[in-house]
Amino acid sequence: MIRSIFPVAAVALVAFAVPAQAAEVKKFTAAEFAAAQGAGKAILVDVKAPWCPVCASQHGTIQSAIAASKFDKLTIFEIDYDTQKDAWRALGVHKQGTLIAYKGKKEVSRLEFQTDKTAINNLLAAAVN
């Protein structure tokens, strides 16, 4: 009996151990951002600060959403509001908690300091649809 259960249990463990393919998350660099834009990728720029509760709420919503397979090709660039001021200023950002969606070089949606899950999901969808 144990021998017949073992293969099934082993397969089940492997299935749960293999992470689902998800969006690629990177620290923002101007060079990588430009390369992703030039390649026509779906992009989310997430300007956040570790002390920001709005940013934490946005992060949770984003993490839940990107588990869906439609976001497999999304590239997320995270900008640290405290240490990467030149980067967020160059994108016309005024405060932490800003999310910007791009299709290649074209900005397709922007949210500032919003935690509404529907609005965030719509922004993410704008990048990949």
Side-chain angles (χ1 to χ4, degrees), residues 49-58 115:
W51 45 264
C52 171
V54 169
C55 302
S57 177
Q58 290 174 334
T115 58

Side-chain angles (χ1 to χ4, degrees), residues 15-75:
F16 287 112
V18 176
Q21 209 173 10
E24 182 178 14
V25 181
K26 300 178 170 192
K27 182 176 178 173
F28 182 94
T29 68
E32 285 196 54
F33 177 64
Q37 283 189 307
K41 291 190 174 189
I43 300 167
L44 170 68
V45 174
D46 181 3
V47 182
K48 60 188 188 173
W51 45 264
C52 171
V54 169
C55 302
S57 177
Q58 290 174 334
H59 181 75
T61 301
I62 292 166
Q63 290 304 304
S64 293
I66 65 172
S69 62
K70 72 179 183 178
F71 297 112
D72 288 351
K73 297 196 185 298
L74 180 67
T75 301

Side-chain angles (χ1 to χ4, degrees), residues 68-101:
S69 62
K70 72 179 183 178
F71 297 112
D72 288 351
K73 297 196 185 298
L74 180 67
T75 301
I76 300 173
F77 288 101
E78 296 180 336
I79 297 178
D80 185 299
Y81 183 78
D82 295 328
T83 63
Q84 294 182 285
K85 288 182 180 10
D86 289 343
W88 56 260
R89 285 180 179 151
L91 297 174
V93 171
H94 303 287
K95 59 183 167 184
Q96 78 282 359
T98 299
L99 304 172
I100 312 168

